[in-house]
Amino acid sequence: MEEPGIRQRKKAAPGSANGYETGSEAKSGVAFPKVYVLLAAVLVLALYNFSALVKGPLNQFLGAHTRHLPGVRTNYVPIFTADEAKRDAVVEAFKHAWLAYVERDAMGDDEYHPISHAGSNLTEAGGIGYTVVDSIDTMIIMGLEDEYQRARAWVADKLSFERDGNFNTFETTIRVLGGLLTAFHLSGEDPVFLEKAQELGTRILPVFETESGLPLSLINLALREGVPDRDTNGYISTAEASTLQLEFRYLAYLTDEDTYWEKAENVMAVLRASAMPSGLASIFIDPKSGNYRTSPIRLGSRGDSYYEYLLKQYLQTNQTELVYREMYETAMTGIHTHLVKRGLSSQLLYIAELNPERTQNGELGWRLTPKQDHLVCFLGGSLMLGATTSGALVHNVSIPPRIDELTDQGERDWLTGVELINTCMATHDTQTGLAPEIAHFRIVGDGVDNSVAPADWYIKGARPDAPPPFDARYILRPETVESIFIAFRLTGDPKYRDYGWAIFQAIEKHCRIPTGGYASVINVDQVPVEYDDKMETFLMSETLKYLYLLFADSSILPLNEYVFNTEAHPLPVFHPTIRTGFS
């Protein structure tokens, strides 16, 4: 497997001061006072542990040249106050989406179809209010009191989990359980939300009743039974198994019911025990043995939030559980070693995939595929956040960070995060200004017709006068704006607000339905657009929330006090009240 060249920063000249002993200071036979020896040892230890705090001011005092952190511009003034006009435009967009859902008699339905003006549910037994619960915290954050009160009343009076149908364990946890927990926190601890959250969490618990303790993919909420997914032969996806932890741990913290924590934490212990040496994870696991199955390795679907939650579990408990820092750092090194690649023409950095295949001799090999899902765009902001936390030499990193505040790995991850955001923005270079679901990147000898595909990246299967491939869709996804939001909070660089505003304007122009709501676009390279009659719940939960926070005052939901779950529900950082066996 070819290893890409990873940018390593040059080692700075050692900044330690050498002590020179003179004849008068080293008289033989004179006992040096122990107190001075002790003070010297303390000073050396302090300099070693807090070198970043000392190195910057010392270099400035001595006139030494301090190297600039790559990926941080020097010619801008950080901005942290609200851009009220753009912020309010996002609020109006949310209201346009929400009011259509409410006023078209879809209130309470799991999903909304803005063109047909109808709602639908995920099971024949009925729904559990995916859209309502997923959106409540956005209303609170935006200060939409009337909309919030209507949603709260529905949760209090009509939300029922007595549904004899199979719901996806992962989606139900991140959208509904996560939404209820955040609503409880942001509402000033309104008990109705915690009561519903605990009921739902208890109904989900049976999914962990497997030989390994890994959760089954589906849950029958009425019967309280875990159900294997026949479409995957009973195997579970890595991302789905490892993206329940923030929610169940916070539920345990609020209720003092340790079982929620223990079930979720055991999943991570099983995955760590089965870990590959590279730190990467294939996308399927066997719930019986707890072992990874031979399957693709990627940061797109079924793999993405495994890596996301390694960092976020470390941050959720105020950086007290070092096991997650270790797993995260190992995984990021694996990504850089095996998956970070560059395109041919413009040298865009992207995250490739590894797909297993058998050689002619029957041996297992891995084929590198230059394909990047839109889902991967979460990683840019995540890497930058990781660089300023797990990759930091100081507790409170500057905004923007300085190079002497980051470890070598922190600097590497920061630069990759910055470049990956640039790549994700490059995929918005389409007729609509919207990014496709999947982008492929040009490599040497790919056999792609240069007259059909651009020189850097392209949508596979796209042909003039032919039906658009699935890859060409934009389904209102939030991952790029999520990374832009994080990057802005960590730098104050106004260019990130410019990026976000360009994406928002493209959504307004091409996805907005005049009668209410927003719809997915079937082909981002076709104008006028053709719609898919569906408004994903993550439009109101994630995309518009991150855009709002991008333009709001940066004091709202600070990143050092909150961790956003993978559905953008902000959960507060806390100190665990139980001793965690895993860590």
Side-chain angles (χ1 to χ4, degrees):
M1 185 183 304
E2 181 185 355
E3 296 187 0
I6 299 176
R7 283 182 170 76
Q8 297 288 349
R9 69 182 176 95
K10 297 177 182 178
K11 300 294 183 181
S16 59
N18 294 318
Y20 293 95
E21 191 177 80
T22 66
S24 62
E25 293 170 338
K27 297 179 180 179
S28 60
V30 178
F32 200 74
K34 292 183 179 180
V35 65
Y36 294 124
V37 174
L38 179 61
L39 288 173
V42 170
L43 178 61
V44 170
L45 183 63
L47 287 172
Y48 176 78
N49 286 317
F50 303 101
S51 59
L53 292 173
V54 177
K55 187 165 58 176
L58 182 61
N59 284 339
Q60 292 179 9
F61 176 76
L62 297 176
H65 174 68
T66 301
R67 195 161 61 82
H68 179 65
L69 177 63
V72 174
R73 296 194 301 165
T74 57
N75 59 340
Y76 75 94
V77 177
I79 298 175
F80 303 107
T81 56
D83 185 327
E84 295 182 2
K86 293 182 174 65
R87 180 199 64 190
D88 294 347
V90 176
V91 174
E92 288 304 312
F94 179 90
K95 292 169 69 174
H96 183 76
W98 171 254
L99 293 176
Y101 167 77
V102 172
E103 294 174 359
R104 300 280 191 267
D105 297 323
M107 183 64 171
D109 289 343
D110 288 329
E111 297 180 328
Y112 180 59
H113 308 278
I115 297 174
S116 57
H117 301 171
S120 63
N121 290 312
L122 296 173
T123 74
E124 294 182 359
I128 54 175
Y130 263 50
T131 296
V132 179
V133 181
D134 216 6
S135 305
I136 289 178
D137 61 348
T138 308
M139 302 172 202
I140 299 174
I141 293 166
M142 291 183 175
L144 298 175
E145 182 65 19
D146 292 343
E147 290 82 355
Y148 163 71
Q149 290 297 339
R150 184 166 184 177
R152 183 204 174 279
W154 186 89
V155 170
D157 301 334
K158 297 184 178 180
L159 176 59
S160 172
F161 300 124
E162 195 65 27
R163 305 296 190 201
D164 188 5
N166 297 334
F167 292 85
N168 183 277
T169 303
F170 160 75
E171 297 289 359
T172 301
T173 299
I174 65 170
R175 301 190 194 208
V176 184
L177 181 57
L180 290 168
L181 290 171
T182 296
F184 171 72
H185 173 74
L186 295 180
S187 65
E189 301 190 351
D190 186 329
V192 69
F193 296 118
L194 184 56
E195 291 168 7
K196 293 291 186 180
Q198 186 164 13
E199 179 190 351
L200 178 59
T202 301
R203 287 176 183 266
I204 292 175
L205 279 179
V207 299
F208 296 101
E209 295 172 4
T210 62
E211 294 178 38
S212 65
L214 295 179
L216 294 172
S217 299
L218 303 170
I219 177 67
N220 185 303
L221 292 174
L223 301 180
R224 306 189 185 206
E225 294 179 354
V227 180
D229 188 348
R230 295 180 180 178
D231 293 338
T232 59
N233 296 317
Y235 300 133
I236 57 178
S237 77
T238 303
E240 293 185 354
S242 58
T243 314
L244 316 170
Q245 284 66 29
L246 296 184
E247 298 80 5
F248 274 92
R249 284 154 39 117
Y250 186 49
L251 180 61
Y253 173 77
L254 292 175
T255 62
D256 288 326
E257 294 289 344
D258 293 353
T259 186
Y260 300 125
W261 190 297
E262 292 163 355
K263 296 293 187 182
E265 184 179 69
N266 178 65
V267 173
M268 301 309 300
V270 171
L271 295 181
R272 186 169 186 248
S274 302
M276 302 177 183
S278 65
L280 300 176
S282 57
I283 62 171
F284 283 112
I285 326 166
D286 186 343
K288 294 182 179 180
S289 66
N291 294 325
Y292 285 105
R293 300 293 301 174
T294 301
S295 51
I297 295 174
R298 64 184 183 224
L299 273 79
S301 60
R302 298 188 181 276
D304 50 355
S305 48
Y306 164 74
Y307 303 94
E308 176 188 355
Y309 268 37
L310 291 179
L311 175 64
K312 289 183 175 180
Q313 287 177 85
Y314 173 60
L315 299 180
Q316 183 185 37
T317 50
N318 208 25
Q319 304 181 38
T320 59
E321 298 178 282
L322 298 182
V323 64
Y324 296 115
R325 176 177 179 172
E326 171 202 323
M327 293 176 71
Y328 170 76
E329 292 179 347
T330 301
M332 294 307 104
T333 295
I335 289 170
H336 279 87
T337 302
H338 301 295
L339 303 182
V340 171
K341 298 293 179 182
R342 290 190 179 277
L344 278 182
S345 175
S346 51
Q347 292 292 296
L348 291 173
L349 182 148
Y350 66 93
I351 310 299
E353 298 183 357
L354 286 171
N355 292 292
E357 58 183 16
R358 294 289 176 181
T359 65
Q360 292 181 346
N361 298 328
E363 297 178 352
L364 178 65
W366 294 91
R367 175 173 51 85
L368 197 69
T369 303
K371 164 182 174 285
Q372 179 176 289
D373 292 6
H374 188 284
L375 290 166
V376 179
C377 288
F378 87 90
L379 184 64
S382 182
L383 281 167
M384 295 173 74
L385 182 60
T388 58
T389 51
S390 76
L393 291 167
V394 296
H395 183 64
N396 293 312
V397 173
S398 305
I399 299 176
R402 300 196 314 263
I403 197 167
D404 58 357
E405 296 175 327
L406 305 183
T407 64
D408 286 353
Q409 177 163 326
E411 183 189 343
R412 177 202 67 190
D413 291 354
W414 175 273
L415 181 57
T416 299
V418 170
E419 291 201 70
L420 185 57
I421 290 176
N422 292 338
T423 298
C424 292
M425 286 306 303
T427 62
H428 282 264
D429 184 14
T430 62
Q431 292 296 311
T432 59
L434 301 168
E437 182 74 359
I438 297 173
H440 280 73
F441 292 81
R442 300 296 303 276
I443 59 174
V444 175
D446 57 16
V448 176
D449 186 349
N450 291 328
S451 65
V452 175
D456 45 14
W457 69 272
Y458 63 99
I459 300 173
K460 188 175 182 179
R463 295 288 186 273
D465 302 320
F470 177 82
D471 292 8
R473 293 172 177 259
Y474 173 70
I475 60 172
L476 307 170
R477 284 205 185 275
E479 283 73 20
T480 298
V481 294
E482 172 186 359
S483 281
I484 289 170
F485 157 68
I486 294 172
F488 177 75
R489 285 290 182 91
L490 297 177
T491 64
D493 192 334
K495 76 175 183 181
Y496 292 113
R497 279 184 167 175
D498 294 339
Y499 291 168
W501 185 244
I503 293 173
F504 176 72
Q505 287 182 306
I507 294 172
E508 284 291 289
K509 182 175 181 179
H510 298 291
C511 302
R512 183 183 178 104
I513 304 302
T515 55
Y518 293 79
S520 303
V521 169
I522 291 176
N523 185 359
V524 296
D525 260 335
Q526 174 186 311
V527 176
V529 299
E530 182 181 355
Y531 294 116
D532 181 17
D533 186 17
K534 186 176 181 181
M535 187 175 79
E536 297 283 355
T537 71
F538 49 68
L539 170 72
M540 291 191 286
S541 171
E542 298 187 73
T543 307
L544 294 179
K545 180 187 294 166
Y546 281 130
L547 285 168
Y548 174 87
L549 292 172
L550 174 65
F551 298 117
D553 190 283
S554 293
S555 63
I556 299 175
L557 301 176
L559 294 180
N560 64 330
E561 296 180 17
Y562 288 89
V563 174
F564 289 77
N565 87 337
T566 198
E567 191 71 8
H569 296 303
L571 302 171
V573 171
F574 63 89
H575 285 276
T577 55
I578 64 173
R579 181 181 178 86
T580 61
F582 178 46
S583 58

